[in-house]
Amino acid sequence: MKNEIKILLTSDLHLGMNGVDPVVPENIRMNTFKKITALAQEHDLLLIAGDLFDSTNVSRELVEQVAGEFQSVRDQGTEIVYCPGKGELDSRGVIADFIYDLHASCLFSNPVSSDPFTVQRGKQTLHIYGIPPSPEFDLSRIKKEADDGFHLGLFHTEFNNNKSRSGFRNLNLDFYALGSNHDFKMFKVFEKIIGAFPGSPEAVTAEETGDRYVISLLLKDNEVFQIKRLTVNSIRLKKVEIDCSSYSSARALRDHLMGHASQKEIATVTLNGARNFSFGNEIDVLRSRFFDLFIIDNSRPTLESLIVSYGMEDSIRGNFYAILQEHMERQPIRDDLADNLAAALNVLTVDGLSALEDWLCAISDV
């Protein structure tokens, strides 16, 4: 007879991010949700700690997709226990109607009390408590309703790890499965794990870089026998800072980045430092090696690189840089003057005369 319960915990996927420019495309987010539901079928319970959806303004098609995934999970005998998050509440704090259409095994919808949802596997009993988020919510007021089994709270709320030990003792349940924080965190008291945030399983903001997780828990003999974080994100966000002065050419910079490129990554590359080369088509070549690539150019091009970039143009700008090159060949410009001239010309060339005036005012105030 099975005397253990296997639990998968997730939160904060934020499906259906409407009206914003999501850092991860919606189809990728849905792929990650399908990974989670596939993993859930290997567990006894799928716990959702809120913000599965980004808002109450989602399409009927998306709701039906999620409901279909829920049905597949329940068809395999896995129970789904859902505590809504702030994203699933309307402006009055009421749970959106479509959440009921998903037909979770248990939806915690009562903002006043939490009657536990109980699961039995052999001799192992699990009581799950939950309440929708509200400004008055207090974890410490949720008390065990029985003496037997393991008591778990499923909540979408912040959890202050800086509380005193006496504050932790006021938390009555055996474990707190939490959502709302987008980073993975675990909480311990006297080396015993008492709670965890799985974090967002797919990045919601540009700051959520690297691997993203769900949490797998194994309960046995009324204890957390095993806890594992499982990587599930379909796309990783990466941030890279590059000092251009360390590279002799755009190709050398490209080759360095290509050595770490992946089609499963969205990379934001910030270029800093003095840059003694122009890019040409090297960035376009690099872009094909990532799922997506964003370049933030804070580098300072030298006079030489500006001449290479614009000196061959058949334009007034091109003529200016060609004349500047001839002058520099006859009489080299002192390094400190060359740096200041390059900075001014770069602002003028890229952003126009008004930006140059602003730049000159800014440096005169320093």
Side-chain angles (χ1 to χ4, degrees), residues 243-247 272-277 298-302 339:
D243 182 359
C244 290
S245 64
S246 302
Y247 298 89
N272 299 310
R275 172 169 55 82
N276 196 27
F277 52 83
N298 295 331
S299 64
R300 305 185 306 277
T302 62
D339 290 342

Side-chain angles (χ1 to χ4, degrees), residues 332-344:
I333 300 174
R334 225 173 55 222
D335 288 345
D336 57 336
L337 295 178
D339 290 342
N340 290 333
L341 179 58

